[in-house]
Amino acid sequence: MDLILASQSSTRWRILSCARIIAKAVSPQIDEENITRSLMAEKAMPRDIADTLAEHKAKKVSIKNPLSWVLGCDQVLDFEGKVFGKPKTQEDLRQSLIRLSGETHRLITANVMYHNTKPMWRHISVSHMTMHPMTVTEIETYVEKSWPDAQHSAGGYYFEKTPHLFSEVRGNWFDIMGLSIGPIAEYLNQHVNGSVFNAPTVAAVLGHPIAHSKSPCMHGHWLETNKISGSYIAIDIPPGKLFQTVKVLIGAGVMGFNVTLPHKEDALALADYQTPRAKAIGAANTLVVDLKGSITADNTDGYGFITNLKVNSSDWFPQAGSALVLGAGGASRAVLSSLIEAGAPKIYLSNRTLQRAKDVALQLSPLIEVIDWEDKERYLSTVTTVVNTTSLGMTGKPPLEIDLSSINPKAMVTDLVYTPLETPFLVQARSFGCSVVGGVGMLLHQGTPGFEAWFGTCPTVDSEVEALVLK
Ligand code: ATR
């Protein structure tokens, strides 16, 4: 199929690639402002303005490429019958937010397909977007922080960057982004030979901060290698805003989430259903949304931990002996739960803050015995599993100070830290003959259950994806 996207928008081009539709992008070079101005002077409806602009773009490119299928798109923001464009100045942006704050506006996305210089198909989608009321200070902060981005988008916001500004959304993720991919895929399947496309599924990782997250790279790789129609994005959600934002994102058709700090406890609390392992850990890292919008919260950290060890240390059996776990934070809870579930007969838990370890032990299992941080070396000769769940040893953090000279050489030693790939703790364990497993595999394996639930395929954890997340 020879498809041309009559647009310079990298977002629209990316949406087509999410659905695995290959298109050439050609700039239509039309005077959008002039056309909009004259349509507004004629009191044209916002949807007619979007439709006319999409048509102009497709037509212009089709005339030069009559044999190609040409897709033109346009989006306008309609508030009470008035079109809101891209803000030209910060004052424009301020006024636009004052008007839209606390109100519902519509995003109208028009799509027109041309072939042989003639219009073959057109589709208009309407998304209903309700914004939270914003205080004067919130508006000022937003104008100051977001101006570089805001000036490029109608109404002055990018929904994918600031979904927490909204209280309710009824629409589709891709329509909101500016291209109605579902109907386009359907049209191509019916009318263009050889087309077999699916509307992409959307999943996201939510956290604060989120820029450091390896998940988009990992899931993006799996979408690519499995040729799946889908998109996986990172969204920064400020603390305390998870509940409302997940609701809004589900309203926009997002079907799955990974959740990271500081939202893991909230993620469990907001769900309609909780898996037993998420309940036991008291936090969720994976949310699966069903077609009715119900949310199931899971915690796959423990699964990732155990699978990493099974894959990378084939003669390790959790049932073979007791374990020593260092650290009693969030990651430790997942490790402890999964070791107990896998059959570890006893676990010694050591943490700098003793009371924290006692609380965790009390909540999780009588098989956990809390020991003093200073005493941790005394248990090294008896255990068959040793796990560091603290952040000590991570690049930029203090080292984990421990003398492993008394360690049982048959013990398997693992570290959740994966930067560096092999921590000084693991190097020391290796020098005493222990088998060692680095932490990057846990990160990779914890991602597979979510991917399978959202996108329908269980991805492979291999050296290629490992190299990507370590880049
Ligand atoms: P995570 O969710 O990654 O486990 P966390 O909940 O902040 O993160 O827990 C970090 C763990 O590293 C805790 O066990 C912490 O010990 P405390 O409970 O005493 O805070 C441990 N940790 C962090 N810095 C430490 C240090 N300098 N010495 C010993 N333990 C440390």
Side-chain angles (χ1 to χ4, degrees), residues 261 326-332 351-353 356 373 389-392 398:
L261 298 177
L326 308 177
S332 172
N351 192 52
R352 176 182 58 180
T353 311
R356 200 173 180 196
W373 185 242
T389 76
T390 74
S391 51
L392 297 172

Side-chain angles (χ1 to χ4, degrees), residues 92-403:
D92 251 10
L93 173 60
R94 195 172 286 115
Q95 290 309 320
S96 164
L97 292 173
I98 290 170
R99 297 283 308 283
L100 299 178
S101 148
E103 304 284 351
T104 302
H105 62 265
R106 309 191 311 158
L107 283 181
I108 299 172
T109 307
N111 311 261
V112 176
M113 189 76 77
Y114 260 64
H115 190 49
N116 280 324
T117 72
K118 291 191 182 62
M120 307 301 289
W121 173 81
R122 58 207 320 124
H123 178 87
I124 294 215
S125 72
V126 180
S127 307
H128 299 260
M129 320 285 293
T130 306
M131 284 185 117
H132 281 296
M134 289 173 86
T135 63
V136 173
T137 323
E138 282 167 344
I139 289 179
E140 280 317 310
T141 312
Y142 181 86
V143 170
E144 204 172 293
K145 272 202 190 156
S146 309
W147 172 243
D149 273 346
Q151 57 188 306
H152 303 295
S153 77
Y157 67 82
Y158 278 105
F159 176 65
E160 72 273 35
K161 290 194 178 171
T162 50
H164 59 274
L165 293 183
F166 293 82
S167 58
E168 192 184 353
V169 166
R170 282 185 289 126
N172 171 278
W173 179 264
F174 296 105
D175 293 341
I176 296 167
M177 296 301 123
L179 186 141
S180 303
I181 190 68
I184 290 168
E186 211 170 293
Y187 176 78
L188 293 174
N189 290 348
Q190 281 171 14
H191 296 92
V192 180
N193 275 346
S195 300
V196 191
F197 300 116
N198 294 309
T201 302
V202 187
V205 56
L206 313 177
H208 181 78
I210 199 61
H212 67 286
S213 172
K214 305 282 187 188
S215 295
C217 154
M218 183 168 94
H219 289 277
H221 172 78
W222 286 333
L223 285 171
E224 203 51 47
T225 49
N226 289 289
K227 302 198 180 341
I228 289 170
S229 179
S231 175
Y232 186 99
I233 41 158
I235 305 178
D236 196 312
I237 309 286
K241 304 265 185 195
L242 188 77
F243 276 58
Q244 63 178 63
T245 314
V246 163
K247 197 182 91 186
V248 160
L249 290 169
I250 292 174
V254 181
M255 297 303 284
F257 304 92
N258 278 131
V259 182
T260 185
L261 298 177
H263 300 304
K264 285 184 168 190
E265 280 88 8
D266 284 352
L268 183 71
L270 67 76
D272 301 292
Y273 308 98
Q274 305 170 335
T275 61
R277 60 189 180 187
K279 215 181 223 175
I281 296 165
N285 72 340
T286 304
L287 301 176
V288 180
V289 184
D290 70 14
L291 291 174
K292 288 185 193 146
S294 298
I295 306 170
T296 299
D298 193 6
N299 193 315
T300 62
D301 283 335
Y303 163 83
F305 171 73
I306 296 287
T307 309
N308 181 35
L309 299 184
K310 287 192 170 157
V311 169
N312 291 299
S313 184
S314 51
D315 51 359
W316 173 75
F317 296 101
Q319 310 90 323
S322 359
L324 171 64
V325 174
L326 308 177
S332 172
R333 298 173 72 92
V335 165
L336 292 163
S337 295
S338 64
L339 279 172
I340 289 161
E341 201 187 310
K346 179 167 187 88
I347 303 175
Y348 299 103
L349 175 62
S350 179
N351 192 52
R352 176 182 58 180
T353 311
L354 187 69
Q355 190 55 44
R356 200 173 180 196
K358 284 185 175 168
D359 293 345
V360 169
L362 194 66
Q363 276 169 20
L364 288 184
S365 166
L367 296 178
I368 303 173
E369 181 180 333
V370 175
I371 59 168
D372 281 339
W373 185 242
E374 288 70 30
D375 287 346
K376 55 188 178 298
E377 278 135 4
R378 284 181 36 201
Y379 295 82
L380 288 168
S381 59
T382 58
V383 298
T384 55
T385 306
V386 182
V387 190
N388 174 38
T389 76
T390 74
S391 51
L392 297 172
M394 188 186 289
T395 309
K397 293 265 164 88
L400 169 59
E401 303 211 2
I402 186 165
D403 175 4

